Amino acid sequence: MADFFIGTSGFSYKDWAGEFYPESLKSNEYLGFYCRYFNTVEINSTYYKPPDPDLFNSLLKKISVNFIFSCKAHSSMTHDRNADDTVYSNFISALKPLIKSGNFGVLLFQFPYSFYFNSINLGYIEKIKEKFKETDVVCEFRNSGWLNDRTFSLLEKLNIGFCNVDEPKLPKLLPATNILTNDIFYLRFHGRNAQKWWNCTEAFERYDYMYTEE
């Protein structure tokens, strides 16, 4: 039987105070409270700033045993794609506390819409896996051009997971899928706010959406 891990993208948000977190709760107690309801979380901060081991050693002290952290790859690996060997090696070293404790899920490469399907970018994905040979990697594509057999075959060959998404039904975005390219099924709910997806002042506005229970 498969293990299911359900959680959110990030856990430390000021506007969650009084809505999800009790008003009296200190921010350094958020993760412990969060663990009562969810058994996984994506760490977003690693996209903006490469992590160090101290970050994860600190987080590990606040969780229950059966809890999984997934991390976003740094922007230099996904959007700028100019990371040097030092960035890669430091990132791998930073993940070691999570891997050693058994609390690591996947490293998520969330590529931008402008990351198009072509031979050069297929080669870049191969480079990623070469850098993270011993790490479970999942790729999220924002452009529907990646939905083809050549993509799936490469991911299967490299043992990279495909990130399925739920997002607005807009031209060139990915439709809802249930694609499995290794033994990790990864699904992210982005919401269906079509009006704000391309017309937002702040990035978070595109995710302003409330799913119904249905």
Side-chain angles (χ1 to χ4, degrees), residues 7-149:
T8 61
S9 187
F11 67 90
S12 184
Y13 300 104
K14 291 181 180 180
D15 58 344
W16 285 21
E19 297 292 336
F20 176 65
Y21 297 121
E23 289 277 11
S24 59
L25 200 68
K26 297 178 181 178
S27 60
N28 62 0
E29 299 173 320
Y30 281 178
L31 184 56
F33 183 90
Y34 175 98
C35 288
R36 301 180 195 177
Y37 301 91
F38 301 102
N39 59 357
T40 190
V41 70
E42 279 181 358
I43 300 300
N44 280 320
S45 61
T46 52
Y47 169 81
Y48 301 99
K49 179 182 178 182
D52 60 67
D54 290 341
L55 167 66
F56 296 124
N57 280 320
S58 174
L59 294 177
L60 283 170
K61 296 175 182 178
K62 303 175 182 180
I63 62 168
S64 54
V65 176
N66 191 32
F67 190 90
I68 294 295
F69 292 97
S70 289
C71 307
K72 282 187 181 177
H74 187 249
S75 59
S76 64
M77 303 177 191
T78 57
H79 288 57
D80 300 325
R81 297 185 291 283
N82 59 1
D84 58 26
D85 288 341
T86 301
V87 173
Y88 282 109
S89 60
N90 288 347
F91 207 108
I92 291 168
S93 295
L95 291 176
K96 286 182 178 178
L98 293 183
I99 296 171
K100 183 178 179 180
S101 68
N103 296 101
F104 177 70
V106 304
L107 179 59
L108 175 67
F109 281 78
Q110 180 184 293
F111 291 108
Y113 179 83
S114 59
F115 186 69
Y116 298 110
F117 172 80
N118 56 46
S119 296
I120 293 175
N121 288 339
L122 285 170
Y124 185 75
I125 292 173
E126 291 187 279
K127 172 187 173 182
I128 285 170
K129 191 56 184 176
E130 181 66 24
K131 296 292 186 182
F132 292 97
K133 290 180 181 178
E134 307 300 323
T135 305
D136 285 326
V137 170
V138 168
C139 286
E140 177 182 349
F141 305 105
R142 291 290 177 94
N143 191 299
S144 62
W146 288 93
L147 292 178
N148 62 68
D149 290 340

